[in-house]
Amino acid sequence: MESPTTSRCGAAPTTPIRRVVAASMAGTVVEWYEFFLYATAASLVFGTFFFPSSGSPLDGIIAAFVTYAVGFVARPLGGIVFGQIGDRFGRKPTLQATIVIVGAATFLMGCLPGFASVGYWAPAMLVALRFIQGFAVGGEWGGAVLLVAEQSPDKQRAFWSSWPQAAVPVGNLLATMVLLVTSFVLSPAAFLDWGWRIAFWLSAVIVLVGFYIRTHVEEAPIFLEAKAQVEKEKATSFGVVEVLRRYPKGVAQAMGVRFAENIVYYIVVSFSIVYLKVVHSYDTSQLLLALLIAHVIHFAVIPPLGRLADRVGRRPVYLAGAILSATWAFFAFPMFDTLNPVLIVAAVAIGLVFHAGMYAPQPAVMAELFPTRMRYSGVSLGAQVTAILAGSLAPILATQWLRDFGSWLPIAMYIVVACVITALTVLSLKETRGISLHAIDAADAARSDRPASKETA
């Protein structure tokens, strides 16, 4: 195994890879604790607390999911802004900014009055904070995974960069645990009235921990080399315009591989709650417990699948995840209909295991599509624009179809179509297992008629 404290090409020692992983995961846990806390609360609480009653429980949930989608609309803007900043000034300061912004927005959500108190000002303030939250998260993911990917050994990049992905179920796990405890301890009326706020307020503690850990990492040598080279040439080589001009195919492929992964996740995690709660009036605490177990399993399988992508290739693992995910709904919803707690947990867990086949190798796949000088912009743009078309719409469409057709079959077909799109995109990719990021930079320099840096020469 190569040394975890040096770059592959003999650059000066940098932060040990395990500390880099810890810094990336710490912030990612915070960001996604808060982001997915909103998703769970939208399914359980927000429909009745922030919106007027219409007589149908699905109407309030749909309205809550529309405000949820606002965060996704803001994410590409955040990806563009923070991608530009991250490529120009560095991954570390960008990630420090995003964690503080998300933390502040989430804490304030826990302080908002409901519709009964201030009328339509309640959803208006919720939408505003949701937009700010989504804006910051749009710049978080790309920086978090690149902080690790750019300091990983070439032959272990998928494994190490899968750890920030594993932090997502950890954040979700923490959010679910807090909601689960409060729902067990409090009466249903108290939980709906004020108990849900506790989870939002606790985010302040996690933010402080994550911010502190992120102050103790350094930038990757390959980023510093690329930054110095661009500054030497006095070239404008950063940002979204440049990446769209130079690598439009890479952006399209990043969007394609992200499409099904994003849809599958939100159907499995968010819409499953809606289906069980509305169709079967399933107990809230039992629902949260099922998600808790499934998140633990999701966390456990992501790094091994990342290691597998280093051994057999990115394409086989990703393709398997897409194909298996296409089958999930056809057996999962019948398992939900049994109301057997074991089968419900199994259905959600299997869905997340299938999802992990796409999620684990995703950072390595995306990082290897772009050169260092515009990698943050390319990865963030590809990931966050797709989130509007995929993750933001998935629970809204699924809930609407459930209301209109009274069946899960349209939702199953929707997942199949998404998985076909992602599978075809994966087949269009070149296999990049073990590739050097310096080689990608050298190829970019040759393509742009630019001199290569010393490390890429």
Side-chain angles (χ1 to χ4, degrees):
M1 182 181 296
E2 297 175 57
S3 169
T5 60
T6 59
S7 73
R8 279 193 47 80
C9 297
T14 184
T15 311
I17 188 65
R18 287 177 177 80
R19 189 187 302 170
V20 175
V21 169
S24 178
M25 289 186 69
T28 303
V29 166
V30 173
E31 306 279 5
W32 294 103
Y33 166 86
E34 294 159 347
F35 208 73
F36 290 129
L37 177 63
Y38 188 103
T40 307
S43 302
L44 299 175
V45 179
F46 288 176
T48 56
F49 190 83
F50 286 104
F51 298 92
S53 174
S54 65
S56 170
L58 286 176
D59 287 340
I61 293 173
I62 291 171
F65 275 142
V66 169
T67 66
Y68 181 60
V70 168
F72 286 88
V73 174
R75 283 166 67 170
L77 180 60
I80 291 170
V81 172
F82 289 113
Q84 180 92 8
I85 295 171
D87 278 334
R88 185 176 294 273
F89 299 108
R91 285 55 167 139
K92 176 180 174 178
T94 308
L95 291 173
Q96 289 174 314
T98 58
I99 195 174
V100 171
I101 294 171
V102 174
T106 305
F107 182 85
L108 290 174
M109 282 181 184
C111 302
L112 290 179
F115 186 88
S117 300
V118 295
Y120 285 99
W121 280 107
M125 289 186 286
L126 181 67
V127 167
L129 290 175
R130 176 63 177 165
F131 186 90
I132 294 170
Q133 188 188 56
F135 177 79
V137 170
E140 159 66 22
W141 184 80
V145 297
L146 293 184
L147 192 69
V148 177
E150 291 179 339
Q151 300 200 49
S152 301
D154 296 337
K155 294 181 180 179
Q156 298 174 320
R157 185 173 300 117
F159 171 69
W160 287 115
S161 63
S162 72
W163 281 96
Q165 303 289 75
V168 172
V170 173
N172 210 346
L173 181 68
L174 289 176
T176 306
M177 285 178 64
V178 174
L179 289 172
L180 179 63
V181 170
T182 52
S183 68
F184 265 127
V185 172
L186 302 174
S187 68
F191 178 77
L192 290 174
D193 185 35
W194 59 268
W196 61 271
R197 298 179 184 275
I198 296 172
F200 286 81
W201 292 335
L202 285 176
S203 67
V205 177
I206 310 174
V207 165
L208 292 176
V209 174
F211 183 86
Y212 174 78
I213 294 175
R214 281 190 169 173
T215 61
H216 291 78
V217 294
E218 301 170 9
E219 299 285 1
I222 191 171
F223 167 76
L224 298 176
E225 294 158 11
K227 181 173 181 287
Q229 185 69 23
V230 171
E231 289 174 350
K232 180 181 178 182
E233 298 167 19
K234 301 186 184 303
T236 306
S237 298
F238 303 102
V240 172
V241 174
E242 182 76 1
V243 78
L244 286 174
R245 185 169 69 90
R246 295 284 185 180
Y247 292 91
K249 181 180 178 181
V251 173
Q253 288 175 319
M255 293 175 67
V257 298
R258 172 83 158 150
F259 190 65
E261 174 271 308
N262 208 221
I263 287 173
V264 168
Y265 188 85
Y266 285 101
I267 294 294
V268 173
V269 170
S270 295
F271 180 72
S272 293
I273 297 176
V274 174
Y275 184 82
L276 287 164
K277 189 71 177 173
V278 174
V279 175
H280 296 296
S281 299
Y282 202 71
D283 180 68
T284 297
S285 297
Q286 292 298 318
L287 271 174
L288 293 172
L289 183 59
L291 283 174
L292 192 74
I293 297 170
H295 294 323
V296 172
I297 295 172
H298 196 208
F299 169 79
V301 299
I302 288 175
L305 286 171
R307 188 179 293 280
L308 184 64
D310 281 324
R311 292 179 177 175
V312 304
R314 282 75 165 117
R315 287 180 28 158
V317 175
Y318 216 113
L319 195 60
I323 293 171
L324 290 171
S325 294
T327 71
W328 176 78
F330 294 99
F331 63 80
F333 285 100
M335 292 170 74
F336 291 152
D337 291 339
T338 67
L339 299 185
N340 183 308
V342 175
L343 292 181
I344 289 173
V345 170
V348 177
I350 292 170
L352 290 180
V353 169
F354 290 172
H355 168 266
M358 296 182 282
Y359 205 50
Q362 190 178 94
V365 169
M366 288 193 178
E368 291 157 1
L369 286 172
F370 306 101
T372 304
R373 66 192 179 103
M374 60 184 74
R375 183 172 291 124
Y376 203 145
S377 294
V379 167
S380 295
L381 184 64
Q384 305 309 338
V385 169
T386 312
I388 297 179
L389 304 174
S392 70
L393 291 178
I396 298 173
L397 291 175
T399 305
Q400 187 67 50
W401 289 331
L402 180 64
R403 178 185 177 183
D404 293 344
F405 300 103
S407 170
W408 52 263
L409 190 58
I411 300 154
M413 298 309 300
Y414 172 55
I415 294 174
V416 169
V417 172
C419 289
V420 168
I421 292 171
T422 290
L424 291 175
T425 305
V426 172
L427 292 174
S428 75
L429 296 171
K430 294 180 180 178
E431 179 55 63
T432 51
R433 174 172 61 96
I435 194 172
S436 167
L437 298 184
H438 290 111
I440 295 173
D441 288 351
D444 172 66
R447 176 179 176 180
S448 307
D449 295 322
R450 297 167 48 247
S453 69
K454 292 181 181 180
E455 290 294 335
T456 60

